[in-house]
Amino acid sequence: MTDFDIDVLVEADAWGDPDDLEAMAERAIEAACSTLKTSFAVPQELSAVFTDDAAIRVLNRDYRQKDKPTNVLSFPQSDNPLDDPSGLLGDIILAYETVRREADQSDRSFQDHVTHLIVHGFLHLLGYDHLNDDEAEEMERLEISILGSLDIDDPYGDHPIDEFPVN
């Protein structure tokens, strides 16, 4: 796997231990790179910011014109991250209250849901999106496969974890 430097910033105490969050992010990103067989020209740096609903609401309003909190936002640094010589991949930002509420409502473990959202955010940094049905299906298929490699069930609840191998 390509070397990654993941800068973890915990802005909301409810998230807990930064070392645990960094390990979770490393595991999710390593699984994504392995499943996707992704390699980069140079070592990569990204930030994972663990914040709250109030802070992410401001970002969502200012950058997406949606004045409400959301679970995860991604800010890629390049349109072509696999060939970008800067090694600056981007930022993944998660909001505690929304993530906690979603995990509780879906009866999924908090850790599994956070891992899913890190994978989701990482795919955005790689240029994947879900603006139309085809893109959404591709991104969902990749998420299911990556999470399956971590023995995490389909977050969408309607596929066996081995239905979508990426090979």
Side-chain angles (χ1 to χ4, degrees):
M1 179 182 129
T2 302
D3 289 329
F4 273 89
D5 180 17
I6 302 173
D7 296 321
V8 170
L9 175 61
V10 179
E11 295 181 340
D13 291 338
W15 281 104
D17 186 352
D19 292 337
D20 292 342
L21 296 167
E22 183 174 354
M24 194 180 321
E26 287 173 354
R27 182 174 176 254
I29 291 167
E30 183 176 321
C33 288
S34 177
T35 301
L36 297 171
K37 297 175 178 46
T38 300
S39 61
F40 295 90
V42 297
Q44 297 294 301
E45 180 179 337
L46 66 91
S47 67
V49 180
F50 296 88
T51 193
D52 58 22
D53 276 1
I56 210 163
R57 179 180 183 169
V58 170
L59 294 170
N60 205 23
R61 181 194 66 214
D62 292 353
Y63 291 96
R64 298 181 65 227
Q65 291 69 53
K66 296 183 181 187
D67 192 11
K68 61 182 183 177
T70 189
N71 52 13
V72 62
L73 291 173
S74 297
F75 294 97
Q77 295 298 311
S78 171
D79 290 335
N80 192 4
L82 298 179
D83 295 323
D84 187 340
S86 75
L88 299 174
L89 198 55
D91 307 310
I92 302 170
I93 304 165
L94 293 95
Y96 181 81
E97 296 91 342
T98 298
V99 174
R100 171 55 73 185
R101 184 177 59 257
E102 290 173 346
D104 291 346
Q105 290 172 348
S106 66
D107 289 327
R108 300 184 72 222
S109 80
F110 183 69
Q111 183 172 353
D112 285 356
H113 191 49
V114 172
T115 300
H116 171 215
L117 294 174
I118 291 169
V119 166
H120 183 88
F122 184 69
L123 288 174
H124 277 305
L125 295 183
L126 296 180
Y128 292 93
D129 216 329
H130 44 82
L131 297 175
N132 63 50
D133 288 344
D134 289 341
E135 288 178 347
E137 287 175 19
E138 172 70 2
M139 199 162 169
E140 182 176 310
R141 182 183 68 78
L142 293 172
E143 289 172 13
I144 292 166
S145 184
I146 293 162
L147 294 171
S149 76
L150 295 167
D151 293 322
I152 296 174
D153 289 335
D154 172 4
Y156 303 102
D158 54 0
H159 304 286
I161 63 173
D162 61 351
E163 184 177 335
F164 292 116
V166 173
N167 304 332

